[in-house]
Amino acid sequence: MKDVFLNYWLNRNDEYGLPPRILFGFNTIDKAGEVSKQICKNKEVLIVTDKFLLSTGFIDQLSSSLEKNNLNFKIYASDVAEPTKEQVNSVIKEASEKDYGLVIGIGGGSSLDRAKIAACFGGFEDRAEDYFAPSTKILTHSKPKLLIPTTAGTGSEVSNTAVVIIPENYVGSAKTWITGKMILADAAILDPSLMINLPQRVTANTGIDALSHCAEGVISKQANPFSDGLAIEGIKLVAENIKMVYHQGENLEARWNMSMAAMLGGIVISFPWIGGPATLGHAASEGISPKYNIPHGAACGVLLPYVYWFNLKSSYAERKLSVISEAMGVDTCKMSDQKAAESAIWSTFDLLEDLDMSTNLKSYGMKEEDIPVIAKYIFERSERMYAMSGYNPRKATLENMEEFFYAAYEGREYLEKDLSKKHWR
């Protein structure tokens, strides 16, 4: 019987991993001390955060809760930017100074990633860089960790990956990561009240990152009903709430919904069959984000309509894009699959424009003469780092990658002209 499905996707055995404990809701940060006491191996806690958050009251709320539960703590704060190799080594050194029984990460995705790495390597002999992708070395140890996000986007609080920025010749810097079961938090606390005063631009960029996680999860050619169910609900939540939190950041219901969407996205991208996600959007964003200094969420967002367009030639992607259109609120019942799929493109463009976000790479300073080199870089890197051909519906070639970046450079009008020809039919 075991050979019946050989070389067929039904032969795949999927594994569903989540943090053991997730607390979600307003004022759940007040329970941080109680949760910490339950999972801490002793009374010593290292808090990993960023320098900006030290000027807010969030750290005071956390430390007060820890003190009430008789826990000692030290605060380690770094810059807000994504963790570099140097920052990673610094936080590992800090986490090795004492026998900490718990590492708490509080902040955006970068702080949470630093906390994950501090917990996994602080006090241990092996080096973090030995686990950087594309390494397949399996991590087998970690101190307990509690993660508390203050943005709604990366989903790092529930994901099994920690990102690290390393030098790269062409773009200056590039993203690698460590992934595996040991990266998962022992507990996560999601308190939407921590996000009420987020700046508009951070709200938009992180929210669109959550949308990208969910949408790319849906179009992954390895997606299954379990991941689709979570991802589609995440898309709905973003589509219905992101404009509200952008224009009315104090809206509690919208903040709650965006926090939930980000968490769902973080769970989805942790499934091996989604791979991070390993589709074109996130793979391509790494060619433009460092080179043109575009925030990660904005880079994923500006590319997302073009990722949809690129994959339209796949009948599988066409069906999945129809589902994404519905999730974004489009009435597709009287549309053909083709038109419904195209609606996902236009709905995403409209959403980006409503959030005052750029919809083409030209506006970020990209030059047309950059396209061949970027396309070649992403074409080669996407397979080496992501094994993208196993996830993205349409096979990438150097030629169609150049076409993809040219379309994203030119903008919405290019797609409107192209799709009016229906040249793939």
Side-chain angles (χ1 to χ4, degrees), residues 203-226:
T203 293
N205 289 345
T206 54
I208 289 297
D209 190 23
L211 174 64
S212 298
H213 289 162
C214 293
E216 290 185 61
V218 171
I219 65 173
S220 169
K221 68 182 186 182
Q222 295 195 40
N224 69 14
F226 189 89

PDB file of all heavy atoms in Angstrom, residues 203-226:
ATOM      1  N   THR A 203       2.054  50.420  10.947  1.00  0.00           N
ATOM      2  CA  THR A 203       0.800  49.668  10.897  1.00  0.00           C
ATOM      3  C   THR A 203       0.555  49.118   9.495  1.00  0.00           C
ATOM      4  O   THR A 203       0.208  47.942   9.320  1.00  0.00           O
ATOM      5  CB  THR A 203      -0.379  50.560  11.309  1.00  0.00           C
ATOM      6  OG1 THR A 203      -0.246  50.903  12.692  1.00  0.00           O
ATOM      7  CG2 THR A 203      -1.710  49.857  11.102  1.00  0.00           C
ATOM      8  N   ALA A 204       0.753  49.965   8.480  1.00  0.00           N
ATOM      9  CA  ALA A 204       0.517  49.539   7.097  1.00  0.00           C
ATOM     10  C   ALA A 204       1.531  48.484   6.661  1.00  0.00           C
ATOM     11  O   ALA A 204       1.162  47.431   6.120  1.00  0.00           O
ATOM     12  CB  ALA A 204       0.572  50.747   6.169  1.00  0.00           C
ATOM     13  N   ASN A 205       2.809  48.746   6.893  1.00  0.00           N
ATOM     14  CA  ASN A 205       3.853  47.819   6.425  1.00  0.00           C
ATOM     15  C   ASN A 205       3.729  46.448   7.079  1.00  0.00           C
ATOM     16  O   ASN A 205       3.836  45.413   6.407  1.00  0.00           O
ATOM     17  CB  ASN A 205       5.235  48.408   6.708  1.00  0.00           C
ATOM     18  CG  ASN A 205       5.569  49.585   5.811  1.00  0.00           C
ATOM     19  OD1 ASN A 205       4.923  49.817   4.793  1.00  0.00           O
ATOM     20  ND2 ASN A 205       6.581  50.347   6.193  1.00  0.00           N
ATOM     21  N   THR A 206       3.510  46.433   8.385  1.00  0.00           N
ATOM     22  CA  THR A 206       3.418  45.145   9.067  1.00  0.00           C
ATOM     23  C   THR A 206       2.130  44.414   8.705  1.00  0.00           C
ATOM     24  O   THR A 206       2.115  43.192   8.555  1.00  0.00           O
ATOM     25  CB  THR A 206       3.523  45.323  10.591  1.00  0.00           C
ATOM     26  OG1 THR A 206       2.534  46.274  11.041  1.00  0.00           O
ATOM     27  CG2 THR A 206       4.906  45.820  10.993  1.00  0.00           C
ATOM     28  N   GLY A 207       1.045  45.172   8.546  1.00  0.00           N
ATOM     29  CA  GLY A 207      -0.220  44.546   8.162  1.00  0.00           C
ATOM     30  C   GLY A 207      -0.165  43.911   6.792  1.00  0.00           C
ATOM     31  O   GLY A 207      -0.711  42.816   6.574  1.00  0.00           O
ATOM     32  N   ILE A 208       0.509  44.576   5.862  1.00  0.00           N
ATOM     33  CA  ILE A 208       0.655  44.012   4.519  1.00  0.00           C
ATOM     34  C   ILE A 208       1.583  42.809   4.535  1.00  0.00           C
ATOM     35  O   ILE A 208       1.420  41.862   3.745  1.00  0.00           O
ATOM     36  CB  ILE A 208       1.155  45.093   3.536  1.00  0.00           C
ATOM     37  CG1 ILE A 208       0.033  46.110   3.287  1.00  0.00           C
ATOM     38  CG2 ILE A 208       1.593  44.484   2.218  1.00  0.00           C
ATOM     39  CD1 ILE A 208      -1.221  45.543   2.626  1.00  0.00           C
ATOM     40  N   ASP A 209       2.539  42.786   5.441  1.00  0.00           N
ATOM     41  CA  ASP A 209       3.375  41.591   5.604  1.00  0.00           C
ATOM     42  C   ASP A 209       2.508  40.404   6.010  1.00  0.00           C
ATOM     43  O   ASP A 209       2.664  39.297   5.486  1.00  0.00           O
ATOM     44  CB  ASP A 209       4.454  41.863   6.656  1.00  0.00           C
ATOM     45  CG  ASP A 209       5.517  40.765   6.712  1.00  0.00           C
ATOM     46  OD1 ASP A 209       5.691  40.045   5.712  1.00  0.00           O
ATOM     47  OD2 ASP A 209       6.177  40.645   7.759  1.00  0.00           O
ATOM     48  N   ALA A 210       1.581  40.638   6.945  1.00  0.00           N
ATOM     49  CA  ALA A 210       0.665  39.563   7.363  1.00  0.00           C
ATOM     50  C   ALA A 210      -0.176  39.084   6.180  1.00  0.00           C
ATOM     51  O   ALA A 210      -0.387  37.876   6.003  1.00  0.00           O
ATOM     52  CB  ALA A 210      -0.237  40.051   8.490  1.00  0.00           C
ATOM     53  N   LEU A 211      -0.660  40.021   5.365  1.00  0.00           N
ATOM     54  CA  LEU A 211      -1.434  39.657   4.178  1.00  0.00           C
ATOM     55  C   LEU A 211      -0.588  38.807   3.227  1.00  0.00           C
ATOM     56  O   LEU A 211      -1.063  37.795   2.689  1.00  0.00           O
ATOM     57  CB  LEU A 211      -1.907  40.916   3.452  1.00  0.00           C
ATOM     58  CG  LEU A 211      -2.620  40.700   2.111  1.00  0.00           C
ATOM     59  CD1 LEU A 211      -3.926  39.940   2.303  1.00  0.00           C
ATOM     60  CD2 LEU A 211      -2.865  42.033   1.404  1.00  0.00           C
ATOM     61  N   SER A 212       0.665  39.196   3.034  1.00  0.00           N
ATOM     62  CA  SER A 212       1.545  38.458   2.131  1.00  0.00           C
ATOM     63  C   SER A 212       1.791  37.040   2.626  1.00  0.00           C
ATOM     64  O   SER A 212       1.801  36.087   1.838  1.00  0.00           O
ATOM     65  CB  SER A 212       2.882  39.195   1.975  1.00  0.00           C
ATOM     66  OG  SER A 212       2.689  40.468   1.397  1.00  0.00           O
ATOM     67  N   HIS A 213       1.986  36.892   3.943  1.00  0.00           N
ATOM     68  CA  HIS A 213       2.175  35.547   4.492  1.00  0.00           C
ATOM     69  C   HIS A 213       0.986  34.653   4.160  1.00  0.00           C
ATOM     70  O   HIS A 213       1.142  33.510   3.711  1.00  0.00           O
ATOM     71  CB  HIS A 213       2.337  35.613   6.010  1.00  0.00           C
ATOM     72  CG  HIS A 213       3.640  36.200   6.447  1.00  0.00           C
ATOM     73  ND1 HIS A 213       3.843  36.680   7.714  1.00  0.00           N
ATOM     74  CD2 HIS A 213       4.823  36.387   5.783  1.00  0.00           C
ATOM     75  CE1 HIS A 213       5.080  37.130   7.825  1.00  0.00           C
ATOM     76  NE2 HIS A 213       5.682  36.968   6.667  1.00  0.00           N
ATOM     77  N   CYS A 214      -0.193  35.189   4.400  1.00  0.00           N
ATOM     78  CA  CYS A 214      -1.401  34.382   4.187  1.00  0.00           C
ATOM     79  C   CYS A 214      -1.649  34.115   2.710  1.00  0.00           C
ATOM     80  O   CYS A 214      -1.940  32.983   2.314  1.00  0.00           O
ATOM     81  CB  CYS A 214      -2.608  35.093   4.813  1.00  0.00           C
ATOM     82  SG  CYS A 214      -2.551  35.196   6.619  1.00  0.00           S
ATOM     83  N   ALA A 215      -1.517  35.154   1.885  1.00  0.00           N
ATOM     84  CA  ALA A 215      -1.807  34.997   0.456  1.00  0.00           C
ATOM     85  C   ALA A 215      -0.801  34.075  -0.224  1.00  0.00           C
ATOM     86  O   ALA A 215      -1.173  33.219  -1.033  1.00  0.00           O
ATOM     87  CB  ALA A 215      -1.814  36.365  -0.220  1.00  0.00           C
ATOM     88  N   GLU A 216       0.478  34.229   0.097  1.00  0.00           N
ATOM     89  CA  GLU A 216       1.477  33.345  -0.491  1.00  0.00           C
ATOM     90  C   GLU A 216       1.308  31.917   0.025  1.00  0.00           C
ATOM     91  O   GLU A 216       1.626  30.952  -0.672  1.00  0.00           O
ATOM     92  CB  GLU A 216       2.881  33.873  -0.202  1.00  0.00           C
ATOM     93  CG  GLU A 216       3.200  35.154  -0.966  1.00  0.00           C
ATOM     94  CD  GLU A 216       4.634  35.598  -0.774  1.00  0.00           C
ATOM     95  OE1 GLU A 216       5.547  34.837  -1.150  1.00  0.00           O
ATOM     96  OE2 GLU A 216       4.844  36.700  -0.236  1.00  0.00           O
ATOM     97  N   GLY A 217       0.803  31.789   1.246  1.00  0.00           N
ATOM     98  CA  GLY A 217       0.489  30.459   1.759  1.00  0.00           C
ATOM     99  C   GLY A 217      -0.604  29.784   0.951  1.00  0.00           C
ATOM    100  O   GLY A 217      -0.551  28.581   0.692  1.00  0.00           O
ATOM    101  N   VAL A 218      -1.597  30.565   0.533  1.00  0.00           N
ATOM    102  CA  VAL A 218      -2.702  30.012  -0.255  1.00  0.00           C
ATOM    103  C   VAL A 218      -2.228  29.563  -1.632  1.00  0.00           C
ATOM    104  O   VAL A 218      -2.617  28.493  -2.118  1.00  0.00           O
ATOM    105  CB  VAL A 218      -3.845  31.036  -0.398  1.00  0.00           C
ATOM    106  CG1 VAL A 218      -4.901  30.559  -1.402  1.00  0.00           C
ATOM    107  CG2 VAL A 218      -4.510  31.285   0.964  1.00  0.00           C
ATOM    108  N   ILE A 219      -1.366  30.355  -2.280  1.00  0.00           N
ATOM    109  CA  ILE A 219      -0.980  30.003  -3.648  1.00  0.00           C
ATOM    110  C   ILE A 219       0.163  28.982  -3.699  1.00  0.00           C
ATOM    111  O   ILE A 219       0.497  28.499  -4.780  1.00  0.00           O
ATOM    112  CB  ILE A 219      -0.602  31.245  -4.494  1.00  0.00           C
ATOM    113  CG1 ILE A 219       0.656  31.925  -3.954  1.00  0.00           C
ATOM    114  CG2 ILE A 219      -1.764  32.201  -4.600  1.00  0.00           C
ATOM    115  CD1 ILE A 219       1.157  33.044  -4.863  1.00  0.00           C
ATOM    116  N   SER A 220       0.753  28.658  -2.555  1.00  0.00           N
ATOM    117  CA  SER A 220       1.764  27.598  -2.557  1.00  0.00           C
ATOM    118  C   SER A 220       1.173  26.335  -3.169  1.00  0.00           C
ATOM    119  O   SER A 220       0.077  25.908  -2.799  1.00  0.00           O
ATOM    120  CB  SER A 220       2.234  27.298  -1.133  1.00  0.00           C
ATOM    121  OG  SER A 220       3.024  26.116  -1.103  1.00  0.00           O
ATOM    122  N   LYS A 221       1.884  25.727  -4.083  1.00  0.00           N
ATOM    123  CA  LYS A 221       1.324  24.544  -4.740  1.00  0.00           C
ATOM    124  C   LYS A 221       1.336  23.313  -3.841  1.00  0.00           C
ATOM    125  O   LYS A 221       0.812  22.272  -4.215  1.00  0.00           O
ATOM    126  CB  LYS A 221       2.034  24.273  -6.063  1.00  0.00           C
ATOM    127  CG  LYS A 221       3.482  23.832  -5.984  1.00  0.00           C
ATOM    128  CD  LYS A 221       4.027  23.649  -7.405  1.00  0.00           C
ATOM    129  CE  LYS A 221       5.434  23.068  -7.391  1.00  0.00           C
ATOM    130  NZ  LYS A 221       5.981  22.924  -8.764  1.00  0.00           N
ATOM    131  N   GLN A 222       1.889  23.449  -2.640  1.00  0.00           N
ATOM    132  CA  GLN A 222       1.829  22.366  -1.669  1.00  0.00           C
ATOM    133  C   GLN A 222       0.797  22.623  -0.576  1.00  0.00           C
ATOM    134  O   GLN A 222       0.681  21.837   0.371  1.00  0.00           O
ATOM    135  CB  GLN A 222       3.211  22.160  -1.021  1.00  0.00           C
ATOM    136  CG  GLN A 222       4.277  21.680  -1.984  1.00  0.00           C
ATOM    137  CD  GLN A 222       5.496  21.152  -1.246  1.00  0.00           C
ATOM    138  OE1 GLN A 222       5.376  20.484  -0.230  1.00  0.00           O
ATOM    139  NE2 GLN A 222       6.674  21.453  -1.769  1.00  0.00           N
ATOM    140  N   ALA A 223       0.056  23.711  -0.670  1.00  0.00           N
ATOM    141  CA  ALA A 223      -0.922  24.058   0.366  1.00  0.00           C
ATOM    142  C   ALA A 223      -1.951  22.947   0.538  1.00  0.00           C
ATOM    143  O   ALA A 223      -2.274  22.227  -0.399  1.00  0.00           O
ATOM    144  CB  ALA A 223      -1.622  25.363   0.009  1.00  0.00           C
ATOM    145  N   ASN A 224      -2.470  22.824   1.754  1.00  0.00           N
ATOM    146  CA  ASN A 224      -3.543  21.854   2.005  1.00  0.00           C
ATOM    147  C   ASN A 224      -4.703  22.548   2.702  1.00  0.00           C
ATOM    148  O   ASN A 224      -4.617  23.734   3.053  1.00  0.00           O
ATOM    149  CB  ASN A 224      -3.018  20.644   2.789  1.00  0.00           C
ATOM    150  CG  ASN A 224      -2.646  20.973   4.233  1.00  0.00           C
ATOM    151  OD1 ASN A 224      -2.995  22.008   4.770  1.00  0.00           O
ATOM    152  ND2 ASN A 224      -1.917  20.069   4.873  1.00  0.00           N
ATOM    153  N   PRO A 225      -5.834  21.889   2.910  1.00  0.00           N
ATOM    154  CA  PRO A 225      -7.008  22.558   3.496  1.00  0.00           C
ATOM    155  C   PRO A 225      -6.770  23.146   4.879  1.00  0.00           C
ATOM    156  O   PRO A 225      -7.390  24.148   5.241  1.00  0.00           O
ATOM    157  CB  PRO A 225      -8.059  21.435   3.545  1.00  0.00           C
ATOM    158  CG  PRO A 225      -7.679  20.520   2.437  1.00  0.00           C
ATOM    159  CD  PRO A 225      -6.186  20.522   2.425  1.00  0.00           C
ATOM    160  N   PHE A 226      -5.869  22.547   5.652  1.00  0.00           N
ATOM    161  CA  PHE A 226      -5.604  23.065   6.997  1.00  0.00           C
ATOM    162  C   PHE A 226      -4.945  24.434   6.917  1.00  0.00           C
ATOM    163  O   PHE A 226      -5.394  25.404   7.557  1.00  0.00           O
ATOM    164  CB  PHE A 226      -4.704  22.082   7.761  1.00  0.00           C
ATOM    165  CG  PHE A 226      -4.541  22.401   9.215  1.00  0.00           C
ATOM    166  CD1 PHE A 226      -5.428  21.903  10.149  1.00  0.00           C
ATOM    167  CD2 PHE A 226      -3.501  23.202   9.656  1.00  0.00           C
ATOM    168  CE1 PHE A 226      -5.285  22.194  11.498  1.00  0.00           C
ATOM    169  CE2 PHE A 226      -3.338  23.493  11.000  1.00  0.00           C
ATOM    170  CZ  PHE A 226      -4.234  22.994  11.921  1.00  0.00           C
TER     171      PHE A 226
END
